[in-house]
Amino acid sequence: MTRRFLFVLGSSRPDGNTELLARTAAEQLPAGTEQEWFNLAEQPLPDFVDVRHDAEVPRPKGPAAHLLEATLAATDLVIASPLYWYSVSAQTKRYLDHWAGWLRLPGVDFKARMAGRTLWGVTALAHEEFEVADPLVGTLRHSAAYLGMRFGGVLLGNGSKPGDVRTDTEALARAKTFFAQEAPFARFPYER
C-alpha cells in the first residue's frame, strides 16, 4: 500500500518550532510520498458538541468535512502539536474531540477504517526534561490504542521562541529517521 501522510498542525503560531520539526521529518520521506498539511489555526474546527445520547450526530461541514475525509484517506496521521500546559493544544484537542462524533456518523465506520493505520506525534517544548510531555504522549498513544492503530511515538524537540528548535541537533537528527521506524500497534498500559 502506498503511504499517504496527513500532517495536522495544531499550533496557534505560524511557522513555530513544532511545525519546523515536522517539516524536517517530512523532508526525509521517500520522493513521491503523498503529503497533505492541514493547519487547524487557519481552518478552525467548530467546538465539538456531544449529542450522542440526544440526537443524531450531524454531518460535518466546511473544514471539518474536509478534515474527516483527509483523516480517512491517510495511512499515516501526524499530530503536530506544541506542548501547551503539558498536553496537546486546544486546537488539537478539538480535532480529537471530533473523533467522538465521527465514530457515530452513519456509514463512516471511523473506528474500523482507522484500525491498522499509524498515528505519529511531533511536539516542541520549552523544557529540556522531555518527561513533562508524558501527558501529550499518553493522549496520542491511548487514542491510537482505542482505534486499533499503530503508534510511531512522538518526535520531541526543544524550543520556545520561533526557530529555537533549529539549534536542537539531537531532535534534528531523530527527525531524519523518525518516519522510517516500524510502528507497533498501540496498547493501553493495562494490556499485555
Side-chain angles (χ1 to χ4, degrees):
M1 173 187 260
T2 303
R3 291 175 80 182
R4 184 174 196 287
F5 280 74
L6 172 63
F7 290 83
V8 178
L9 302 176
S11 179
S12 60
R13 178 184 347 196
D15 302 318
N17 289 304
T18 297
E19 182 177 347
L20 289 172
L21 190 57
R23 289 193 183 277
T24 300
E27 289 170 359
Q28 312 310 312
L29 291 170
T33 302
E34 287 186 62
Q35 297 178 33
E36 181 174 353
W37 294 76
F38 191 98
N39 189 318
L40 294 168
E42 292 175 3
Q43 299 184 71
L45 300 176
D47 284 336
F48 173 70
V49 179
D50 187 356
V51 296
R52 65 187 153 165
H53 300 295
D54 304 319
E56 188 173 302
V57 175
R59 299 285 307 175
K61 297 177 183 163
H66 175 78
L67 188 52
L68 169 59
E69 292 307 315
T71 300
L72 291 171
T75 60
D76 294 80
L77 175 60
V78 183
I79 304 286
S81 172
L83 186 73
Y84 288 164
W85 286 103
Y86 309 101
S87 191
V88 295
S89 68
Q91 296 91 326
T92 302
K93 179 64 169 71
R94 184 176 294 119
Y95 168 56
L96 295 175
D97 285 347
H98 276 273
W99 289 11
W102 298 348
L103 285 165
R104 290 165 181 79
L105 281 173
V108 172
D109 298 322
F110 188 73
K111 188 172 185 179
R113 290 174 70 184
M114 294 304 291
R117 294 164 194 247
T118 304
L119 180 65
W120 307 86
V122 178
T123 193
L125 56 151
H127 289 265
E128 291 184 15
E129 301 80 18
F130 287 159
E131 296 84 358
V132 300
D134 287 350
L136 180 145
V137 174
T139 294
L140 298 181
R141 179 185 295 117
H142 296 338
S143 297
Y146 180 77
L147 293 177
M149 299 177 74
R150 295 178 176 277
F151 183 58
V154 178
L155 175 59
L156 300 165
N158 181 266
S160 182
K161 69 179 190 256
D164 275 357
V165 78
R166 288 187 177 111
T167 65
D168 186 343
T169 56
E170 291 178 14
L172 297 175
R174 288 190 303 271
K176 299 219 181 256
T177 59
F178 184 60
F179 294 126
Q181 65 182 324
E182 182 67 30
F185 277 97
R187 298 285 181 248
F188 289 108
Y190 54 82
E191 295 177 328
R192 289 185 182 191

